[in-house]
Amino acid sequence: MIAVALPGLVISTDQGQLTGAGLEGFYRAGRRLLSRCRLRVAGREPLCLQARTTGADRTVFVGALRTSSAPGPDPDVMVERTRHADGTERITLRNGTPRPLRLPVEVALGTDLADLGSITAGRAGPELPASVHASGLRWSCAAGTALVTAVPPPDDALASAGLLRWECAVPPGGSTSIELRVRPDGAGPVRPVGRTAADPLASAEATGDDPGAPALLRTSIDDLRALLLRDPVRPADVHLAAGVPWRCGPAPAEALAAARMTLPLGTRLAAGTLRVLARTQHRGPGPGRGMIPGPRRDTGPHLPPGCTGTEATLLFPVLLAEARRWGLGDRETQELLPAAEGCLGWLRAAAGDGTYVSDPHPGGPVRCETQAHAHRAALLGAELLDAFGRPGGEALRQWAQGLREAFRRDFWIHDPAGGRPAAARTTDGRLVPSLTAATAHLLDTGLLGGGVTAPGLLDPVQTARLARLLGNPVMDSGWGLRGLAVTEAGYTPFGHRAGAVRVQETAIAAAGLAAAGHENEASSLLRGVLAAAGAFGHRLPEMYAGEQRTDVSTPLPHPAACRPAATAAAAGVLLLTTLAGIHPDAPAGTVTLRPLRGAPLGEIGLTGLRVAGEPFSVRVSRLGMAMVEEAADGLQLRT
């Protein structure tokens, strides 16, 4: 059970006690400040009855124990432990008997002050010796210090055993509480961005026939706020960490993708993310000029690892162009335009005199999804350049047209069933025929002016064929889109990119299918993820097993998945707003609605979204008709 409000994080099991095993503990900025926190009341550990998450940043454990030999099965004392990611734990004892109780309480504490990377690699050291400090205990090593203080102060503190002790008087039917505060020595409490005025996300809400929709949107926004980070160079700029517990730091491609999917919640997150990444852009001479750096990523058994820097570089101008459509002001857009021009310059240099953008590593393949990212960046980037009177737009459009013509010819594998797009082309021109979820990016063409989507790399017939493939059970597990078709060599339901359902790609596929008019396939994917979200308490992990859904099954969690994860939480926003088909053009003062006519979730209302910098609310009826209920003054509706 994970509670997060970065840079704070606490990981527990559903038994409530922190034992020091595995990843358990309180963390601050990736360092474990406390690994062990075992509670005993009247010499016994409470029996944990319930463990629940009550918000992204807190978990609650309810236990019970008997303190007397009186007959009957009823517990005498209820114990509630509320554990916060900010480094506090409140222990409340409730007396359920008609007599006053005097209860000895002890908490055994310990830590190794290890960093998260060492812990996950199995290299955490032994517990450190404690010393008594003020109203608690202190630990210290070369890596730092940690301090646990208690309110009220303990009656006794034993450094050698790491123990704090109290004698608590609890009146009949009453309660008493102890609060533990875990901090680096000299540091104050965690102030998460999502709970300050710097929060960039609108507090949108969903209502309607499907009870899962409101819970998913609420939880997704809560998780996104918990993952917000301040840029150390300019703290006013915030962006998203990739996910917890494994990836608490910035990840350019994921941060950009998540910011793009959350544009319906406002443009502030997009602007902050773009400013942060613009400061990382390569500006010196050489083939990397204009690139946003990023690590390599596994892409499954059929292809070598890919470069997320390529994806981030191509996504940067797309996010800027679409953020402007949603309401990012001209001044902010112009400030970021030089960085976007650098990314587009890298694109043209990477393509060179050829047609395709190859893997940046020598001998790497020409990937299907990279061409989709590059084509979208060229078209949206060209429109962005034109809007501000910058040169280069027409050359980008001409290159994109050549890419479309070549891709439809070179990347299509013909077969009696109608064919399919190849996953990649090798340097000698051979096609990699694997059917993967990466083909969903071919449907994500991007938003141009007037609510129009950009043309895609596939023609209408090829798009329809891809829609049928993605809607087939070999790809649609019933819980979402598999990373690799079950018919492909190397498929495994837990494969990171070889069969597991990745929520981000499922949401992109659903949105792209809806925009292309393939509503049945889009609706199936959307309903599948909504059903999976219910099984995960509406906190979607970044991926889960691609086992086929049955009447009695539930989705299986992937042991290495981040949860919460920025792209999964943002995908929840994209999936629900896809139902209304919102296509804004803030510079033109218009918004176009293209809802899913089949109304796969029945009636749904979305309130508190942001278009053109103002609140925007829309309702989709059970007949699939959309109606704007709130919008900025002067914003005109187009159909």
Side-chain angles (χ1 to χ4, degrees):
M1 300 189 69
I2 294 176
V4 57
L6 293 179
L9 167 69
V10 60
I11 303 175
S12 318
T13 72
D14 59 4
Q15 295 304 300
Q17 302 278 33
L18 294 181
T19 66
L23 293 173
E24 292 179 51
F26 282 92
Y27 294 80
R28 175 83 72 93
R31 186 163 301 281
R32 182 157 63 180
L33 302 181
L34 189 69
S35 58
R36 188 164 53 89
C37 182
R38 301 197 73 140
L39 171 69
R40 292 173 66 89
V41 179
R44 302 177 185 178
E45 293 193 3
L47 173 66
C48 192
L49 304 176
Q50 185 184 73
R52 65 184 188 274
T53 298
T54 58
D57 62 343
R58 60 194 177 278
T59 50
V60 176
F61 307 90
V62 179
L65 55 84
R66 288 176 55 82
T67 61
S68 68
S69 57
D74 300 337
D76 299 319
V77 180
M78 299 299 294
V79 181
E80 183 175 283
R81 303 174 72 172
T82 302
R83 192 166 288 156
H84 289 261
D86 66 1
T88 61
E89 177 167 334
R90 189 170 185 83
I91 302 167
T92 300
L93 309 177
R94 305 186 189 280
N95 183 355
T97 74
R99 61 188 184 281
L101 295 176
R102 192 163 189 86
L103 301 172
V105 176
E106 66 178 32
V107 179
L109 305 167
T111 188
D112 49 17
L113 285 175
D115 66 86
L116 184 58
S118 297
I119 297 166
T120 57
R123 298 194 303 268
E127 283 193 359
L128 300 168
S131 61
V132 176
H133 181 85
S135 57
L137 297 174
R138 183 177 184 271
W139 297 263
S140 181
C141 70
T145 59
L147 181 65
V148 174
T149 56
V151 179
D155 300 320
D156 194 14
L158 299 177
S160 59
L163 279 178
L164 302 181
R165 291 174 173 168
W166 296 261
E167 284 288 332
C168 295
V170 191
S175 65
T176 190
S177 295
I178 297 167
E179 185 171 279
L180 304 176
R181 299 170 183 171
V182 185
R183 307 276 191 273
D185 197 2
V190 171
R191 286 182 55 80
V193 176
R195 296 189 180 276
T196 68
D199 176 16
L201 301 172
S203 297
E205 295 181 354
T207 58
D209 294 338
D210 191 317
L216 176 60
L217 185 58
R218 182 174 59 251
T219 304
S220 293
I221 296 174
D222 201 24
D223 284 346
L224 288 165
R225 285 175 171 149
L227 293 171
L228 290 169
L229 290 173
R230 295 182 186 273
D231 181 53
V233 177
R234 294 188 181 175
D237 291 338
V238 299
H239 59 98
L240 288 164
V244 171
W246 318 110
R247 305 173 69 199
C248 295
E254 284 83 351
L256 288 164
R260 183 176 178 228
M261 289 188 282
T262 58
L263 283 172
L265 304 179
T267 60
R268 289 176 59 195
L269 176 60
T273 303
L274 290 166
R275 284 193 291 266
V276 169
L277 294 180
R279 291 192 281 272
T280 72
Q281 188 175 39
H282 288 309
R283 303 190 186 278
R289 181 179 176 82
M291 192 176 196
I292 306 293
R296 303 193 78 181
R297 175 200 288 154
D298 174 59
T299 53
H302 55 286
L303 288 171
C307 177
T308 61
T310 298
E311 182 179 340
T313 305
L314 297 173
L315 189 50
F316 189 102
V318 169
L319 177 57
L320 182 58
E322 291 188 326
R324 181 170 175 265
R325 295 293 169 203
W326 281 89
L328 185 68
D330 282 353
R331 182 183 61 82
E332 286 184 284
T333 304
Q334 285 181 301
E335 290 174 353
L336 289 161
L337 198 53
E341 288 179 301
C343 293
L344 295 170
W346 176 89
L347 164 59
R348 293 306 310 275
D353 296 330
T355 303
Y356 299 114
V357 177
S358 301
D359 193 289
H361 301 284
V366 177
R367 300 172 191 267
C368 158
E369 67 272 23
T370 300
Q371 311 321 304
H373 297 321
H375 182 258
R376 182 182 59 205
L379 292 180
L380 272 65
E383 189 169 272
L384 190 63
L385 295 176
D386 289 351
F388 289 92
R390 303 291 185 98
E394 187 55 35
L396 284 167
R397 289 190 189 90
Q398 291 177 1
W399 176 81
Q401 181 178 348
L403 176 60
R404 277 197 302 279
E405 294 170 354
F407 189 92
R408 293 173 183 180
R409 178 186 66 247
D410 297 343
F411 264 77
W412 194 257
I413 301 172
H414 296 277
D415 60 37
R420 68 167 91 172
R425 294 179 84 230
T426 62
T427 53
D428 59 2
R430 289 182 297 106
L431 296 180
V432 178
S434 304
L435 179 58
T436 76
T439 57
H441 293 286
L442 295 170
L443 302 168
D444 179 19
T445 59
L447 181 63
L448 295 175
V452 176
T453 53
L457 286 178
L458 302 180
D459 64 31
V461 174
Q462 292 171 332
T463 299
R465 173 58 180 161
L466 177 58
R468 290 194 295 272
L469 288 170
L470 297 182
N472 190 286
V474 301
M475 287 297 289
D476 183 355
S477 70
W479 302 115
L481 192 66
R482 293 184 176 95
L484 184 67
V486 296
T487 52
E488 299 289 343
Y491 166 80
T492 170
F494 279 101
H496 184 65
R497 301 266 174 182
V501 172
R502 300 190 66 84
V503 177
Q504 176 189 354
E505 286 175 336
T506 301
I508 287 171
L513 288 164
H518 299 282
E519 294 196 2
N520 289 338
E521 293 85 354
S523 297
S524 177
L525 291 176
L526 192 152
R527 285 193 296 262
V529 175
L530 262 290
F536 288 113
H538 304 288
R539 172 182 270 185
L540 283 165
E542 62 177 328
M543 60 181 169
Y544 41 88
E547 296 278 5
Q548 188 63 41
R549 181 179 178 182
T550 68
D551 292 339
V552 296
S553 66
T554 57
L556 294 172
H558 192 291
C562 287
R563 180 172 175 261
T567 53
V573 177
L574 176 60
L575 284 167
L576 294 177
T577 52
T578 293
L579 291 166
I582 306 168
H583 297 261
D585 188 353
T590 64
V591 63
T592 305
L593 298 181
R594 296 194 181 95
L596 288 179
R597 299 296 182 182
L601 300 185
E603 182 175 309
I604 185 169
L606 299 170
T607 61
L609 303 176
R610 306 286 290 189
V611 175
E614 298 293 334
F616 183 85
S617 300
V618 62
R619 184 167 297 278
V620 181
S621 73
R622 296 181 184 92
L623 299 176
M625 303 296 291
M627 179 178 66
V628 174
E629 297 184 332
E630 182 183 21
D633 291 340
L635 190 67
Q636 296 182 351
L637 177 64
R638 298 179 58 175
T639 57

